[in-house]
Amino acid sequence: MKSTSYIALAALTGAAFLYGPLPTLAHRMTKPTLKKGEKPRMLLSFDDGPSPRNTPRLLDTLKEYQVPAVFFVLGDKARFYPQLVRRMVSEGHSVGFHAHVHRNQMMQNPISATIDFERGLHTLRKLVGSVRFYRPPHGCFNVVSSLRAKSGGLIPLMWHRHVRDWKKQGVEELLEKLREARRPGAVLLLHDASDDTGGEPGAFDSMHEALKIFLSESLELGYDFVGADAVETEEGQ
Ligand SMILES: [Zn+2]
């Protein structure tokens, strides 16, 4: 290979790294912090909804235990099930932006990334007014989504632990992973619509059963589950 070809290859590789992996790494390294309270705190977040099958049952459970959560919603689903998104808000949960369609942003070109971002965010804002937090699919950013989130005043919110709940697992197995993840300040990532976004059928049912036990145990242990207003941000709000 001629030296000019090596230079071209190196430039392309560098540009590809700057486009997706670099912003993703930077955001992944920024772990969320929860404001201190009297009791140890945890925050639950649910990605990929709303789902007409799963989300109502999850909302019923959160209401039963009086636990707020943050839902990272897909615009493409929200437009079909707006009543579920409105229900999230009316029951004290926060709605964050996930994407319009569930795709890995590192694989999206700048034009389709821009279109997806604008369509999804517009759909959500029309439904719930202001949207404060952002978490793209798989936690993968590209330059476009990273800059657009910043200019739109969206705060990226990553997580400390996930339990691979998009895969079908036994309730006990999942519960054990949730127990291992339990600690003061933990932001946990779960899913309320895994069936049609790469998850396995039945995965939500196991997660939902395990979650009920986990909530009951954690409250008994003295944990407080907090909402998005407990997240420390640069603005200190
Ligand atoms: Zn997702």
Side-chain angles (χ1 to χ4, degrees):
M1 200 184 278
K2 286 183 184 170
S3 61
T4 47
S5 305
Y6 282 119
I7 292 166
L9 185 65
L12 271 176
T13 308
F17 180 73
L18 290 175
Y19 179 69
L22 184 65
T24 297
L25 270 175
H27 286 293
R28 289 276 186 94
M29 282 163 61
T30 312
K31 297 291 181 189
T33 309
L34 300 182
K35 294 172 189 166
K36 295 268 180 289
E38 280 178 27
K39 293 174 165 186
R41 295 172 147 195
M42 283 190 282
L43 184 143
L44 295 175
S45 58
F46 297 93
D47 288 10
D48 300 354
S51 150
R53 179 184 181 273
N54 299 340
T55 309
R57 290 193 288 154
L58 176 60
L59 287 169
D60 288 345
T61 297
L62 296 174
K63 188 190 262 183
E64 187 186 331
Y65 288 94
Q66 300 189 336
V67 162
V70 184
F71 285 85
F72 285 95
V73 160
L74 293 166
D76 194 33
K77 289 188 178 179
R79 70 195 172 114
F80 288 110
Y81 310 109
Q83 73 284 4
L84 290 175
V85 181
R86 291 196 193 101
R87 185 178 161 193
M88 289 167 186
V89 175
S90 73
E91 295 184 0
H93 307 294
S94 294
V95 172
F97 177 45
H98 200 38
H100 189 64
V101 176
H102 201 272
R103 293 193 204 107
N104 186 332
Q105 305 230 334
M106 286 202 284
M107 308 296 174
Q108 273 192 290
N109 67 54
I111 293 170
S112 80
T114 303
I115 292 170
D116 184 274
F117 194 101
E118 299 305 332
R119 283 184 76 188
L121 189 57
H122 178 71
T123 304
L124 279 199
R125 283 186 168 154
K126 243 175 39 186
L127 274 175
V128 300
S130 75
V131 177
R132 195 154 170 245
F133 290 97
Y134 176 51
R135 176 191 291 162
H138 315 290
C140 292
F141 289 74
N142 59 37
V143 168
V144 171
S145 62
S146 191
L147 292 177
R148 182 62 186 84
K150 203 172 174 57
S151 67
L154 292 173
I155 302 166
L157 180 63
M158 298 294 105
W159 61 89
H160 296 107
R161 291 289 294 273
H162 65 71
V163 292
R164 299 176 65 80
D165 63 313
W166 57 88
K167 289 194 84 64
K168 175 88 172 87
Q169 301 169 64
V171 174
E172 264 308 315
E173 188 184 347
L174 213 39
L175 183 56
E176 212 37 60
K177 289 181 187 168
L178 285 169
R179 286 172 178 147
E180 280 171 24
R182 179 164 48 212
R183 66 199 54 185
V187 173
L188 304 181
L189 161 59
L190 296 162
H191 298 79
D192 59 331
S194 53
D195 303 29
D196 52 358
T197 42
E200 293 177 5
F204 173 83
D205 299 333
S206 294
M207 184 284 285
H208 188 216
E209 284 312 303
L211 178 68
K212 286 192 255 186
I213 303 168
F214 177 71
L215 286 175
S216 165
E217 275 183 4
S218 302
L219 293 169
E220 188 90 0
L221 286 168
Y223 277 89
D224 230 357
F225 286 91
V226 289
D229 54 351
V231 176
E232 291 272 18
T233 61
E234 278 178 9
E235 296 91 347
Q237 292 165 354

